[in-house]
Amino acid sequence: MPLIVEDGTGRATADAYVSVADADAYFTTRSTAWAGYSNDEREAAIRFATSWLDDTYLGLWKGSRVVETQALAWPRDNSPGYTLMWQRGAYPKAQGYLYDLDGFPIMPNVVPRAVKRACMEAAILKAQGVDFAKAATTTAVRKASRSVDRVSYSDEYEAAVSKRDARIQAIDKLLLGLVTSVPGASFATGKLVRA
């Protein structure tokens, strides 16, 4: 079944942020491996990547979905009710916009380029057989101790500490500015004990 690509209208049936043609064009200069997969494998990888992004960053995306019935997390805006006013042509103050890292507004009828790139990068990882359950995990470290010379260190963590694979961290970096934090990020407390 062909992909139903989100076009910025908040489609209720969308299952992908990018098309196979978008990914083909993206990987033309980045990876020759993508061309080696069948169209069905590419579609499956894109569907997985889209779902993985939405599930992984659920609750971390900035803003709100623009349409209650939309299937995916994007498009988004920064205030409930803003989109309805925008669609009617009554532009409120710019506070309704989300902004990218360069300070440019993200209109509520687009899927940002960074989300599309993250989707394509996750898709090729999936096509290559990366185990996302293992690569994107976090582990809970409750207490860790070590000694260096005559100084002992003891760390106690209040939450899980990210042990994310570097390829997944690269996807996290693509989404900076669009999410409130990276999945698995935590604050840690430490205690220094002198011997």
Side-chain angles (χ1 to χ4, degrees):
M1 187 164 92
L3 295 172
I4 301 171
V5 179
E6 175 56 61
D7 60 4
T9 61
R11 299 174 77 172
T13 57
D15 62 359
Y17 284 124
V18 296
S19 67
V20 171
D22 293 334
D24 290 349
Y26 179 78
F27 288 118
T28 297
T29 58
R30 290 176 173 85
S31 172
T32 56
W34 183 253
Y37 299 108
S38 72
N39 193 61
D40 288 343
E41 290 171 322
R42 293 181 216 182
E43 285 183 0
I46 290 170
R47 272 192 193 93
F48 172 86
T50 300
S51 293
W52 179 80
L53 285 172
D54 279 0
D55 294 345
T56 300
Y57 299 93
L58 178 69
L60 300 176
W61 295 116
K62 290 184 177 179
S64 304
R65 292 178 303 125
V66 295
V67 180
E68 182 181 0
T69 58
Q70 74 186 57
L72 303 177
W74 286 90
R76 301 178 78 77
D77 68 28
N78 203 29
S79 64
Y82 171 76
T83 302
L84 183 60
M85 295 170 69
W86 181 81
Q87 289 170 342
R88 291 180 180 167
Y91 295 93
K93 294 180 182 176
Q95 64 194 21
Y97 291 118
L98 288 172
Y99 292 88
D100 66 17
L101 283 177
D102 293 321
F104 294 104
I106 300 169
M107 297 304 290
N109 63 342
V110 299
V111 175
R113 192 178 101 205
V115 172
K116 292 179 180 182
R117 285 185 63 203
C119 183
M120 291 182 282
E121 291 294 340
I124 197 165
L125 292 178
K126 179 62 177 173
Q128 292 171 340
V130 170
D131 181 356
F132 278 74
K134 184 177 179 183
T137 59
T138 57
T139 56
V141 178
R142 294 287 178 217
K143 195 168 197 177
S145 299
R146 63 199 175 285
S147 294
V148 179
D149 290 329
R150 296 173 54 195
V151 178
S152 296
Y153 298 91
S154 176
D155 299 320
E156 294 178 15
Y157 298 95
E158 296 172 354
V161 176
S162 181
K163 299 289 183 189
R164 295 167 76 78
D165 184 288
R167 297 168 294 187
I168 303 298
Q169 288 179 12
I171 293 170
D172 292 338
K173 287 180 183 176
L174 286 173
L175 299 173
L176 288 176
L178 301 177
V179 293
T180 56
S181 68
V182 175
S186 65
F187 295 99
T189 58
K191 181 171 66 175
L192 177 65
V193 179
R194 295 217 177 256

